[in-house]
Amino acid sequence: MTDVELRVEALSLSGVSAIPPEYVRPEEERTDLGDALELGRTASEDTTRIPVVDISAFDDDQGDGRGACVEAVREAAADWGVMHIAGHGLPDDVVDRLRAAGEAFFALPIAEKEAYANDPAAGRLQGYGSKLAANASGKREWEDYLFHLVYPDHLADHSLWPANPPEYVPVSRDFGGRVRSLASKLLAILSLGLGLPEETLERRLKGHEQGVDDDLLLQLKINYYPRCPRPDLAVGVEAHTDVSVLSFILHNGVPGLQVHHAGRWVTARSEPGTIIVHVGDALEILTNGRYTSVLHRGLVSRDAVRVSWVVFCEPPPESVLLQPVPELLANGAGKPLFAPRTFKQHVQRKVFKKQQDQQDDDTAAASNGIIAK
């Protein structure tokens, strides 16, 4: 099988009316699955909604706006682990150019995109790829993607950044720098929400207390979800929490994000002018569970191609030890819920757990006379 045949886009363009069995999710995962467009429309009628928070007031030192902003972000991060952020400071034209560049790349012929193909089996995770069955369920996800480091620029491997369209590199570089500034602002707000000085979380993530000063890393992943004939059986991205500190999400106007809240799946509404922000595992560890790493998944559509841009804000992989901030445990305030680990160790543990879960499923299937593929 050629690389082109492995791409979900090629499968979608072939005109199949059914999806191969490796894309069909287990029965227990199909609760509230459906067409992203249809569920996006009904989400507008749902009274349970992901919070929308305007952070522009944080820059105002006068009045009560700053305190109200901190409390709104704190509440959303603690209760939901996700929020739509308005007043984020990302100019509309910058966001529009980013979307246009990403969509232009995925509009290229598959064979041309293959010049940037990754090779996860060889440890090359960055580049153009498709998610194969390296997940807990052993099932494939209905997406192709482009993944690479976007900040800091001097650490990025620019050979993995598309040369076509030519504006991709400058637009992505500009966007990465702007999101880095937004990450600092949100970490300051989240620190204050814990009753800590506003520099606390970022200093911890950069290793100041451990004698280092490594910058945060921003990874960009453009998810391309082709049309799918059975959106009630497939997912673009399976249910998971992000390993990051924070994740920033834009999309092409086609809804599809679902988050798990209060025992049910909630479909994100379209909130023009906002950017979605997730709390990730690393922030949950630092805050000893005060802020929640949100379980979420991505839907697909029968009639529309969905594209999302996700920036994962991560701590340095090995130089910083992730552990609950000591001030949150002081004076008997609580016991640490997480053992210390580096970010790299956390990722490895999570990958190992997925592999172990899959092995357990395979063993159970074999004991029932089923051959698990």
Side-chain angles (χ1 to χ4, degrees):
M1 184 175 291
T2 67
D3 288 339
V4 169
E5 290 171 331
L6 286 173
R7 303 305 176 201
V8 179
E9 182 185 4
L11 181 59
S12 176
L13 292 174
S14 71
V16 294
S17 58
I19 60 176
E22 59 266 32
Y23 292 97
V24 177
R25 308 306 295 188
E27 185 72 36
E28 63 272 15
E29 293 184 24
R30 298 181 203 167
T31 303
D32 295 320
L33 277 187
D35 189 283
L37 280 177
E38 295 172 5
L39 291 178
R41 282 191 287 266
T42 59
S44 62
E45 304 166 4
D46 194 338
T47 56
T48 303
R49 299 175 178 176
I50 296 171
V52 180
V53 182
D54 189 337
I55 63 170
S56 59
F58 184 69
D59 296 324
D60 183 8
D61 293 330
Q62 308 298 321
D64 300 327
R66 183 179 172 93
C69 170
V70 169
E71 176 55 22
V73 171
R74 184 210 63 77
E75 184 177 2
D79 185 33
W80 281 82
V82 60
M83 64 200 87
H84 295 273
I85 294 291
H88 45 66
L90 300 173
D92 290 345
D93 63 322
V94 170
V95 172
D96 290 343
R97 288 198 299 269
L98 180 82
R99 287 179 173 138
E103 291 177 335
F105 171 76
F106 276 99
L108 297 173
I110 295 175
E112 190 170 341
K113 294 192 285 274
E114 291 295 342
Y116 303 95
N118 63 5
D119 188 354
R124 298 199 308 274
L125 301 181
Q126 296 191 67
Y128 169 65
S130 305
K131 194 69 171 288
L132 300 183
N135 47 45
S137 67
K139 295 291 186 177
R140 294 186 180 183
E141 298 167 327
W142 195 267
E143 72 153 340
D144 300 326
Y145 63 85
L146 180 67
F147 176 68
H148 61 76
L149 182 74
V150 72
Y151 180 94
D153 188 64
H154 72 275
L155 295 180
D157 182 352
H158 293 104
S159 68
L160 300 172
W161 295 34
N164 189 12
E167 61 271 18
Y168 183 92
V169 172
V171 165
S172 299
R173 181 182 286 128
D174 180 34
F175 185 73
R178 292 175 186 271
V179 173
R180 176 64 184 87
S181 298
L182 177 58
S184 287
K185 185 173 184 176
L186 278 172
L187 288 170
I189 295 172
L190 290 161
S191 294
L192 292 171
L194 296 168
L196 302 172
E198 64 182 69
E199 68 274 8
T200 303
L201 289 174
E202 181 156 347
R203 285 175 62 88
R204 288 277 170 185
L205 289 164
K206 294 170 69 173
H208 282 215
E209 282 71 17
Q210 299 165 40
V212 297
D213 186 19
D214 291 342
D215 204 353
L216 302 178
L217 304 177
L218 270 57
Q219 312 275 3
L220 172 64
K221 183 168 182 257
I222 307 177
N223 298 303
Y224 182 85
Y225 307 105
R227 293 176 181 86
C228 177
R230 292 300 304 272
D232 57 321
L233 298 179
V235 293
V237 176
E238 70 176 1
H240 67 287
T241 61
D242 292 342
V243 295
S244 58
V245 179
L246 296 168
S247 302
F248 300 85
I249 306 172
L250 296 166
H251 58 75
N252 65 335
V254 178
L257 171 68
Q258 281 189 330
V259 302
H260 202 257
H261 177 73
R264 56 169 288 213
W265 287 104
V266 177
T267 303
R269 302 171 65 213
S270 179
E271 298 286 354
T274 68
I275 185 168
I276 297 171
V277 178
H278 287 175
V279 171
D281 295 349
L283 185 56
E284 183 176 59
I285 292 169
L286 254 67
T287 64
N288 205 37
R290 301 277 190 95
Y291 296 145
T292 303
S293 184
V294 62
L295 183 68
H296 58 284
R297 66 185 182 184
L299 304 179
V300 291
S301 173
R302 181 181 293 104
D303 300 317
V305 172
R306 180 170 177 256
V307 187
S308 67
W309 289 256
V310 186
V311 176
F312 302 101
C313 177
E314 302 174 352
E318 298 183 83
S319 60
V320 175
L321 199 62
L322 295 175
Q323 56 189 331
V325 175
E327 292 90 330
L328 299 179
L329 308 176
N331 302 317
K335 296 181 179 179
L337 301 178
F338 304 94
R341 83 281 306 263
T342 64
F343 183 68
K344 182 177 181 180
Q345 288 170 336
H346 177 70
V347 173
Q348 290 172 336
R349 289 180 190 182
K350 201 161 185 176
V351 170
F352 175 77
K353 185 179 185 303
K354 285 185 178 181
Q355 293 172 341
Q356 190 62 52
D357 288 346
Q358 180 57 38
Q359 290 172 5
D360 292 345
D361 289 346
D362 291 348
T363 300
S367 68
N368 290 315
I370 301 171
I371 298 176
K373 298 273 187 188

